Every structure is written in structure tokens, then in C-alpha cells.
Amino acid sequence: MTSHGKLRREKGSLAEYESQMKDLRAQLGEQMKILDSQVEVKQQQLSDLSEFLRRRGDIESEYARALDKLTERFTHKTKKKEQWGQSVCQVWTVLLTQTRLMSREHASLGDTCCNTLTQRLTHSTEDTHRLHKRSKEVGTQMQDELLKVTTELQTALKTYNQYHTDCLIAEGKLKEAERLEERQTGKSAELGIGQSGSQRRSSVKKMERLMEKRHGRVQETQLKCTKARNDYLLNLAAANAAMNKYYLQDVSTLIDCCDLGFHQSVERVMKCYLTNRWRILKTEESGLKQLETAVTSLDQSGDRDALLQQHDTAFCLPFRFNYHPHEGDQVSAESQVRYELETRFQQLQSRLAAVTLETEEVSIIKTLKATLTALLDNMGDSDSNPAPDVPSNQSHEPPGGSTAPKLALAKRRANQQETETFYFTKVKEFLTSSSLSSKLQAKHDLLQDAIQKGTLDQVACLSQIPVVVESCIRFINLHGLHHEGIFRVPGSQREVNLIRDAFERGEDPLSDSECDLDSVAGVLKLYFRGLEPPLFPYDSYNQLLDCSVTEKAAQIKAIVSSFPRPLLIVMRYLFAFLNHVSQYSDENMMQPYNLAVCFGPSLLRGVDSDDAVAQQPQVNELVKTMILQHDVIFPSQSEVPGPVYEKHMTLEQEYCVFMQVKVRAIQAVAMFDYVARSPAELSFKQGELLILHSKASCDWWRGEVGGVKGLIPHKYISLYTLIS
């Protein structure tokens, strides 16, 4: 694909995002209009019901004729209204049907309708308007948050496209420089006879500087592109999560907030109406039961679902934002940004845990439920629902009566508004926290997948010591610590090749003790010599050589502590083993410096090999220091978890039978003095009697001296007799 084609593709992606953003804004605006229209419908319903009850009280004197007219009027009005609240509309239908039978009822019902019930409906109308206003504020805030997230996504996409374009331009310039270099090389070859040496060198140096500059630019733009791509993907996941959260959860919650107490208020008023009717209208019991059934069927969640289904185009979840990569780009934990991704992943884990704990805290959920219950109870106060056995002429105070009920009602209204404020504050906090949690979870899951994919590709170097290193060191630990000239005396080249080829096939040729020790040591040195880059990275070579003599160990530790964790684990394992080998230098003749001479060129080397010979003494001293002070320089297992070298390894299958004879112990005599080099070993004097229990390896016995149990070296003793 040409660069112009890629630019057109980028513009197409941006245009698609802009179109989605435009549709999203229009959809959000339509939602608010629908919610506004619904509050008008509810207020109109409450107003109609209040008007109905007031007129009912006014026309009680002409009850039969006037009530029939009233029923016909509201039947006609309800047919014209939008049938949104299905359960409330069902109540209306039953109510109007039964109203046709109430033309001859008692005048006290009219008094109840004109006073208590109309006042309650007035309060419900005020509550509905106020609650809708607060719900709209919450909804506007959530929509702004959603638009903010999508805007951040659009910005991240633009940044990603810009950096990727810069990367393509830099790569093109690099290719152009490479072609120029090839042409210049060919031209120099043709004109080489006529050019002086200095001119050719100057031309070559200029071209090298140009290539170096272009390479640097390509690497810089690639790194920026990678970071921008990852940031774009994170914002993409967060935007999709935010939309899912808003459309699948928040919208329902907002509708519930708008309807808060509306259905219950209607239910309370109608139950009050039913209570008075049951007191005086026993003859109409069957009709009232039908109305009661309709009132009991008031379903806030069902009406909410009906609203969502009726306006599905406004409330349905939009299409997900799709990922538009360049040239098949994929999110990955590349080495340049792996540390940053891991750090960001850990931060996201901590923050997600805190937000989740805050959102799902039991006390918060209980507070919301308790507040909602108290609010609904306050909104459905029992003053509008008098007891059935109270006579109608005693259930109402005269117009100039006591002011105590009015004061109590005013107090309850004030408490209700305080409870509403607290409840909506908690609802807002819960919605904000849960929305943040969903966005963080989306980013967390995406980063976790990327890091795990990068980890699986490098599991061999991240989780364990290489098999060839572990097997060779184990073999030498069991059979070669006392071997004179270990690592210095060369082994058979043929056997070295055979062992190396077996390791490359995935086998372990050192599972038995028939291999030549010097050849095994040669395989270990050959492995580290063949590493590219070497075990110590190239960029640390000069830093390590510059370490001063007085504080060398501390300076080395400061340098190696910045190495990747897999390298530190292998270094710690190797140098602990070399230190153990040097402890037997009186037998194997391999002091720390001799070991440094054998391993230094393989472990530590620079890019420029011209100065390798001159700097070799410094390298040897440096490696010698690491062998002697390995426990100071390299981190412990608690600091960097991973395999550690054990001085006393055992065979995979220990000897349970010695010389095919089952014995309880073996007596031996010490041929030489021996001083223990570790807590697991035993010290003894020449001529001292020893008790041997079992073989630990070809070079060590498990036994006891003077009642103290430990390891005894085989070369320092002579078997005396068997104890059956």
C-alpha cells in the first residue's frame, strides 16, 4: 500500500469515528428529550388524577349525572395520551370503568377527594418535577463523562495516526539512504583509482553518520508509534466499556431515579381512595377488587422496560468502536515499553482493587437500600390513608382547626428533601465509581492479555535457569568439585560436541555419571561463550570496567541491579557455583582468579574487539570480585524470586543399596584432617572413626562424627567395616 493510500485509510478511520461521535451526541440528546417528555406525561397524569378527585368531590351533590360526564371525559383523554406507563394506564382503565358505578355514593367520599387526596397528588407532582430535575443533572453528568471518554479516544486515534505516519516517513528516508549508500559504494568502486584514500574515508564517514541518524530516527518514531498505539487501544477499551456501562446499566438507573416514588404515590393515593370506598361501598365489592388488582399490579420496572422497548432506537446500545490498526498492528508488550506496561498494569491493579472495594462495599449498599426505603416510606406517608374504621366526619379537621398536623407534615416534607439530597448524592457516587471501575477493568484486562502474551513467548528465560547450565553445574557439583584443573583443562572436543548436540535436541545427556568432567566443563563455558549478546549486556561493559577498586562491589551491584530479572537469576546462580568451586582450590587448583580467567572472556566483552586483549586483566579482576563477593553483589531470593544454587545437590536416585548388600551403617577412618566449609559438612581429625549411613553422591557420604550428623567427603576417608 502506498503512503497516499495509507493516509486515505487514516482519514477514513477518523471520519468514521467523527460520524459515530455525531450519532452518539444526537442519541444522547434524544434521550434527554424523551425523559423530559415522560415527566410531562407523569405530571399530566397526576394533574388529571387530582382534577378527577377534586371534581368528584365538587359534584357529589349531583353525583349520578356529573360523575357519568366525568368518566366519559377522562376516558376520552386517556385514549389520546401516549401509552407509556402501561401499569398506570391499566389502573386508569379499571378506575374509569368502576367510576361509572359510583354515581350514587356517599358525600364523604367527595370531601376526602377534595382535601386529602388532591393535596397528596399536588405533593407528588412537586416531587416528580424536583426528582426529574435532579435525575437530569445526574444523567447530564454521565453523558458528559461518556462524551469525554469518546473524545479522548478520538484524540488518541489522531495521535496514533500521526506517529504512525511519521514512522512510515522515517522508514522511507532510511531506505532512501540505504539506496544512496549502495549507489555511492558502487560509484566509489568504479572511481576508486582516481580518488585519494582521505576522500574515500570522508565519504564513508559521512554516509555512516547519515545512516546512524536515519536509524535513530526510525527507532525513535517506532517507539512513539508503539506507545501511541497502546494508548489508543487502552482508550478504545475504556470507551467501549463506558458505553456498555451507560446503556446497559446507567440508563435504567436514571429512569428509575426519574420514576422514584411516582408509582408508589399513585398507589398510596389509590389505596386511600379504596379504603374510603370500602367503608361505604360494600355493594360494589367485586368492582373494587378489580381496581385493587390493577393498583397492586403497578410495576415500575415493567413500565421502565416498556419505555425502553417503545423507544429502542434512542436507548439501544450503539455499535462498538472498532480497532483500526495500520498494516495489521497489534497490541504487544514489546521490550521498549514492557516495563512501562507492567508498571501501568500494577498501578491499574491497585486502583481497580480500591475502586471495586469502594463500589461494592457492603456498608455502601446497605446505606443506599436503607436510604431508599426511608425515602419511599416518607413519600408514601400514611396521613393520606386513614384507618377504615374511622368515621369520615372525624377523619378531617375543620378549616380553622389545630395546626399540629400541618407542622408535622411540613417537618416530614423537609426531612424528605434532605433524604432525597443524601440519596441522590449516594446514587451519583455509586454510578461514578462503578463507571470508573468498568473502564479500569477494561484497561486492566487488555494490559493483562498483552503482558501474558509477551511472557509466554519468553518463558524459558523468565522462569528458570537454562537446562544446559543447570545440568552441567549439577554434574560438576556432584562429581567434580575435587577435580584438579576443572574448567582449565580442555576436554574432548568430540564429547563436547556430542553433549552440546544432545542438549539442543532437548535431551539431558548428564543424567548419568559416565561423561568426562572436563568435557562437561567445556560445554558450560561454550554455552556462555556462544551467547549473543553476552550474559553481561554490551552497554554495561564500560561501566563495569570503570568501577573503582575501593568500592568495586557496591558499584558493580548498582550496575547489575538495573539488569532484567532473568539475567540476574542466571548470574546469581552461576557466580554462587563458581564461588563454591573456589572453596576447593586446595584440591582442584582453581582459585577465584583462575576461574575468572576461564570465564571472563565469555561473560563480559565489549562491542569493539580490538581492545579486548588490553582490557582482559581488568575483566579478570572484575569477574574475580564477583566470584568472591557474589552474595553482596547479586540480590537474594527474597529480593528477586527464582532458582538459587545449592551447594549440596543430590542424585536423582539416591543409593538405597550399597554393593547390593543391605546394611545399617559403615565404619570408616579419617585419612586426613578436614575442616567443614559449610554448616552441612562435618569436621574431623586424621585417624578419627566415622559412621557412614548412605551415599549422597559419588564424592559425599551422609554420616556422623561424635554423634553429630552431616556430610563427609569421600576422598578424605577409608572404609573400615560394614555394620549390619
Side-chain angles (χ1 to χ4, degrees):
M1 185 181 291
T2 63
S3 59
H4 294 291
K6 293 177 181 178
L7 291 175
R8 286 195 299 270
R9 184 178 176 183
E10 294 174 5
K11 292 180 179 179
S13 299
L14 291 173
E16 181 181 346
Y17 271 64
E18 290 176 356
S19 177
Q20 284 185 278
M21 290 290 294
K22 182 178 179 181
D23 295 341
L24 179 62
R25 291 190 180 93
Q27 191 181 41
L28 295 177
E30 182 66 18
Q31 291 176 7
M32 285 302 173
K33 290 181 180 179
I34 292 173
L35 294 178
D36 290 339
S37 66
Q38 293 310 309
V39 74
E40 294 177 359
V41 171
K42 289 186 288 186
Q43 289 178 339
Q44 186 63 44
Q45 287 177 337
L46 293 174
S47 177
D48 290 344
L49 185 56
S50 178
E51 181 184 359
F52 171 83
L53 295 175
R54 185 171 56 254
R55 286 177 176 270
R56 173 67 187 272
D58 292 339
I59 63 174
E60 275 298 319
S61 59
E62 302 176 358
Y63 199 83
R65 179 178 58 83
L67 194 55
D68 288 339
K69 293 181 181 179
L70 182 64
T71 303
E72 292 298 326
R73 173 179 178 175
F74 280 95
T75 300
H76 180 69
K77 288 184 67 175
T78 53
K79 289 181 180 180
K80 293 182 179 180
K81 293 179 182 178
E82 180 182 5
Q83 299 297 309
W84 164 70
Q86 299 298 326
S87 61
V88 177
C89 291
Q90 181 65 23
V91 172
W92 263 103
T93 302
V94 177
L95 173 63
L96 295 176
T97 300
Q98 297 302 320
T99 303
R100 294 186 179 92
L101 305 176
M102 293 190 283
S103 60
R104 296 173 293 177
E105 297 305 334
H106 200 268
S108 62
L109 178 61
D111 183 55
T112 301
C113 293
C114 290
N115 294 283
T116 306
L117 298 184
T118 55
Q119 183 184 24
R120 180 61 185 169
L121 290 174
T122 301
H123 293 163
S124 298
T125 303
E126 296 173 357
D127 296 342
T128 300
H129 178 74
R130 182 174 65 256
L131 295 177
H132 172 73
K133 183 178 179 181
R134 295 186 177 182
S135 300
K136 186 175 181 181
E137 292 175 356
V138 176
T140 302
Q141 180 180 349
M142 300 308 300
Q143 290 184 354
D144 291 342
E145 289 290 333
L146 181 60
L147 292 175
K148 180 181 178 182
V149 172
T150 54
T151 303
E152 292 175 353
L153 172 62
Q154 191 174 17
T155 303
L157 174 61
K158 291 181 180 179
T159 304
Y160 166 46
N161 289 340
Q162 180 61 42
Y163 280 137
H164 195 272
T165 302
D166 295 342
C167 181
L168 294 176
I169 295 173
E171 290 176 353
K173 290 183 178 180
L174 176 60
K175 292 180 180 179
E176 181 181 354
E178 290 175 349
R179 291 193 295 268
L180 179 61
E181 182 183 19
E182 292 176 359
R183 291 198 299 268
Q184 184 174 351
T185 303
K187 185 176 181 181
S188 298
E190 294 175 0
L191 303 178
I193 301 176
Q195 286 184 333
S196 65
S198 60
Q199 291 177 339
R200 288 196 298 272
R201 285 192 297 273
S202 175
S203 176
V204 170
K205 288 183 178 179
K206 289 181 179 180
M207 182 53 63
E208 289 178 350
R209 287 194 295 269
L210 177 61
M211 291 298 294
E212 182 179 359
K213 179 179 179 181
R214 296 289 169 84
H215 274 292
R217 177 59 179 170
V218 169
Q219 293 176 355
E220 179 184 357
T221 55
Q222 286 177 346
L223 180 59
K224 290 182 178 180
C225 179
T226 300
K227 291 182 178 180
R229 182 187 66 242
N230 291 342
D231 188 56
Y232 162 51
L233 288 169
L234 294 175
N235 281 278
L236 179 65
N240 287 324
M243 284 202 307
N244 284 341
K245 174 66 171 52
Y246 176 81
Y247 280 91
L248 300 181
Q249 300 179 21
D250 295 350
V251 167
S252 297
T253 304
L254 289 174
I255 295 175
D256 289 343
C257 290
C258 291
D259 292 342
L260 184 64
F262 171 71
H263 293 75
Q264 189 180 31
S265 297
V266 175
E267 180 181 4
R268 294 287 185 179
V269 169
M270 296 310 303
K271 283 188 176 182
C272 175
Y273 175 80
L274 288 171
T275 301
N276 287 274
R277 283 295 308 269
W278 278 114
R279 189 171 55 240
I280 60 176
L281 297 177
K282 293 182 178 180
T283 58
E284 299 181 7
E285 183 176 356
S286 60
L288 292 177
K289 286 183 178 180
Q290 295 179 11
L291 183 58
E292 186 176 23
T293 301
V295 171
T296 307
S297 299
L298 282 168
D299 183 12
Q300 179 177 341
S301 60
D303 291 350
R304 178 199 65 206
D305 295 338
L307 172 65
L308 293 175
Q309 185 175 3
Q310 186 176 356
H311 302 282
D312 56 343
T313 56
F315 293 110
C316 69
L317 179 67
F319 291 108
R320 289 173 57 88
F321 288 102
N322 294 321
Y323 172 47
H324 298 283
H326 281 273
E327 303 297 334
D329 242 350
Q330 294 182 357
V331 63
S332 63
E334 297 180 5
S335 57
Q336 297 95 330
V337 295
R338 181 176 181 81
Y339 177 78
E340 177 187 346
L341 289 182
E342 290 179 341
T343 303
R344 192 168 185 177
F345 176 71
Q346 294 174 356
Q347 294 173 348
L348 275 175
Q349 273 188 321
S350 301
R351 191 178 181 196
L352 180 60
V355 172
T356 304
L357 181 63
E358 178 183 351
T359 305
E360 300 179 354
E361 184 69 28
V362 176
S363 60
I364 295 180
I365 298 176
K366 287 185 176 179
T367 301
L368 280 175
K369 290 182 177 179
T371 306
L372 178 60
T373 302
L375 181 59
L376 293 178
D377 289 341
N378 200 1
M379 294 175 70
D381 187 78
S382 59
D383 282 357
S384 60
N385 193 9
D389 55 348
V390 178
S392 60
N393 58 353
Q394 298 179 6
S395 60
H396 303 287
E397 293 289 338
S402 174
T403 60
K406 296 182 179 180
L407 294 176
L409 179 60
K411 184 177 180 179
R412 281 193 294 272
R413 295 288 296 170
N415 292 337
Q416 176 183 332
Q417 295 185 17
E418 292 180 2
T419 307
E420 289 173 3
T421 302
F422 179 77
Y423 176 75
F424 274 89
T425 301
K426 290 299 180 182
V427 168
K428 186 185 300 183
E429 292 176 358
F430 177 79
L431 292 177
T432 303
S433 299
S434 58
S435 177
L436 177 59
S437 178
S438 65
K439 291 183 285 186
L440 292 177
Q441 186 67 49
K443 293 184 178 182
H444 172 276
D445 294 343
L446 187 62
L447 281 176
Q448 187 178 44
D449 290 343
I451 292 173
Q452 286 178 350
K453 289 178 182 177
T455 303
L456 291 175
D457 293 337
Q458 305 176 26
V459 66
C461 65
L462 289 179
S463 60
Q464 61 184 9
I465 304 297
V467 176
V468 59
V469 175
E470 185 177 15
S471 183
C472 290
I473 288 179
R474 186 173 185 275
F475 187 89
I476 296 171
N477 174 282
L478 293 174
H479 310 294
L481 293 177
H482 304 276
H483 183 69
E484 183 175 349
I486 187 73
F487 294 118
R488 179 171 53 82
V489 178
S492 169
Q493 187 60 43
R494 178 178 176 277
E495 189 166 358
V496 168
N497 292 337
L498 291 175
I499 296 173
R500 181 196 60 190
D501 294 342
F503 277 120
E504 290 179 353
R505 292 193 301 269
E507 304 172 2
D508 186 357
L510 306 181
S511 57
D512 54 51
S513 59
E514 297 179 0
C515 298
D516 177 58
L517 271 169
D518 293 322
S519 299
V520 174
V523 171
L524 184 61
K525 291 192 296 181
L526 180 63
Y527 172 79
F528 285 109
R529 188 182 308 124
L531 289 179
E532 186 60 38
L535 186 62
F536 286 86
Y538 283 125
D539 54 6
S540 66
Y541 180 74
N542 292 327
Q543 299 177 16
L544 290 170
L545 292 183
D546 292 339
C547 293
S548 63
V549 178
T550 55
E551 300 179 357
K552 182 176 290 188
Q555 294 177 355
I556 295 174
K557 180 177 182 179
I559 295 173
V560 300
S561 62
S562 63
F563 290 173
R565 185 170 293 183
L567 286 184
L568 284 176
I569 293 175
V570 176
M571 290 177 183
R572 177 178 64 191
Y573 196 91
L574 174 64
F575 281 97
F577 163 69
L578 294 178
N579 179 271
H580 190 203
V581 173
S582 69
Q583 294 178 12
Y584 295 87
S585 60
D586 55 342
E587 300 173 54
N588 58 35
M589 310 303 293
M590 294 301 293
Q591 290 81 8
Y593 186 81
N594 295 340
L595 292 171
V597 171
C598 294
F599 279 90
S602 301
L603 302 178
L604 190 62
R605 57 183 183 269
V607 179
D608 188 3
S609 60
D610 296 339
D611 299 333
V613 176
Q615 295 176 338
Q616 194 57 46
Q618 293 179 260
V619 172
N620 295 341
E621 287 294 333
L622 192 64
V623 176
K624 173 186 173 183
T625 301
M626 294 183 190
I627 294 174
L628 290 173
Q629 304 189 49
H630 72 98
D631 54 343
V632 176
I633 294 174
F634 298 103
S636 63
Q637 189 177 24
S638 61
E639 296 173 329
V640 178
V644 294
Y645 173 75
E646 298 178 0
K647 287 188 176 182
H648 301 287
M649 298 181 176
T650 59
L651 296 174
E652 294 180 2
Q653 296 180 349
E654 295 186 355
Y655 293 93
C656 298
V657 180
F658 177 69
M659 298 176 63
Q660 302 299 322
V661 179
K662 294 184 178 180
V663 296
R664 182 166 56 86
I666 305 171
Q667 283 188 344
V669 61
M671 304 297 295
F672 311 97
D673 293 344
Y674 182 77
V675 178
R677 297 180 174 91
S678 71
E681 300 176 5
L682 297 176
S683 300
F684 48 81
K685 298 291 184 180
Q686 181 180 2
E688 192 170 358
L689 288 178
L690 313 174
I691 303 297
L692 308 180
H693 297 297
S694 63
K695 265 271 194 173
S697 70
C698 291
D699 292 323
W700 294 91
W701 289 87
R702 292 189 181 90
E704 59 181 87
V705 178
V708 180
K709 295 182 179 181
L711 295 175
I712 300 173
H714 176 71
K715 291 187 177 182
Y716 283 76
I717 63 174
S718 175
L719 300 183
Y720 184 64
T721 183
L722 301 179
I723 303 174
S724 59

